[in-house]
């Protein structure tokens, strides 16, 4: 795990915390076996790094991860990082440009058909074969956007 010290994982395994309750007075205890506890800590560590939590990047914030996970099921799948938003925006921008170019080709084909009364089958076929993968990618991105609440 990148960015997480063994001592942080060890502290989390032994239950040592940094003591900052931030006004939370209630404790919630969960019984886990050793394997489950290690898995939980590793998930929390990965989540902390992915989310770019402020403060010491080496600090493992098990309480915050547990709170987020318990209060918002599937938080690992729904949380969106700034990098993911930027990547999504860049992919969407590139895709829009590609679809616009294909749309321009379709307009040219329509203009020739309207002017000359001739439909260029090969050109139309080639243009449509370029368009279909772009539409599939757009569909995939829209589904991702809906799933991840982008």
């Amino acid at each position: 795990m990148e960015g997480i010290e063994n001592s942080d994982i060890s502290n989390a395994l032994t239950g040592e915390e940094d003591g900052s309750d931030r006004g939370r007075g209630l404790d919630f205890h969960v019984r886990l076996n050793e394997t489950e506890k290690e898995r939980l800590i590793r998930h929390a560590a990965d989540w902390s790094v992915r989310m770019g939590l402020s403060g010491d990047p080496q600090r493992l914030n098990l309480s915050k991860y547990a709170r987020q996970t318990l209060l918002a099921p599937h938080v690992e799948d729904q949380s969106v990082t700034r990098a993911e938003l930027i990547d999504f925006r860049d992919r969407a921008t590139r895709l829009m440009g590609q679809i616009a170019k294909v749309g321009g080709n379709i307009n040219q084909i329509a203009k020739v058909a309207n002017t000359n009364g001739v439909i260029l089958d090969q050109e139309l076929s080639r243009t449509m074969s370029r368009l279909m993968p772009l539409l599939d990618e757009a569909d995939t991105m829209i589904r991702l956007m809906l799933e991840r609440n982008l």
Side-chain angles (χ1 to χ4, degrees):
M1 250 177 316
E2 187 177 313
I4 302 298
E5 294 288 325
N6 285 338
S7 62
D8 293 321
I9 293 173
S10 175
N11 287 346
L13 282 170
T14 59
E16 294 178 22
E17 298 267 344
D18 68 351
S20 62
D21 288 334
R22 290 188 175 83
R24 292 185 177 90
L26 301 175
D27 287 337
F28 181 80
H29 298 273
V30 178
R31 293 187 180 274
L32 304 171
N33 64 33
E34 199 61 34
T35 302
E36 292 168 332
K37 187 173 183 179
E38 287 175 16
R39 185 173 170 210
L40 175 65
I41 289 167
R42 297 227 181 267
H43 279 271
D46 290 344
W47 178 81
S48 295
V49 170
R50 253 190 22 247
M51 298 310 293
L53 295 177
S54 61
D56 183 358
Q58 304 299 320
R59 192 170 139 267
L60 177 65
N61 197 333
L62 181 59
S63 292
K64 185 169 187 171
Y65 172 77
R67 205 169 25 258
Q68 290 288 328
T69 302
L70 291 169
L71 296 175
H74 310 294
V75 71
E76 289 180 291
D77 296 331
Q78 294 175 1
S79 296
V80 179
T81 65
R82 179 172 170 73
E84 289 172 316
L85 284 173
I86 291 169
D87 179 60
F88 184 84
R89 182 198 63 203
D90 293 346
R91 287 176 55 200
T93 301
R94 179 187 52 77
L95 185 60
M96 286 187 308
Q98 290 176 333
I99 290 173
K101 287 178 185 177
V102 172
N105 289 351
I106 292 171
N107 283 338
Q108 290 173 353
I109 292 168
K111 184 177 180 180
V112 168
N114 288 332
T115 302
N116 301 335
V118 176
I119 297 176
L120 307 171
D121 288 336
Q122 288 180 332
E123 188 63 32
L124 183 59
S125 219
R126 188 171 45 243
T127 300
M128 292 307 291
S129 69
R130 287 181 52 212
L131 180 61
M132 294 314 291
L134 297 175
L135 294 176
D136 288 342
E137 185 178 349
D139 182 59
T140 301
M141 289 182 66
I142 290 168
R143 288 177 195 278
L144 173 68
M145 181 179 69
L146 294 173
E147 289 171 6
R148 300 290 304 277
N149 298 319
L150 293 174

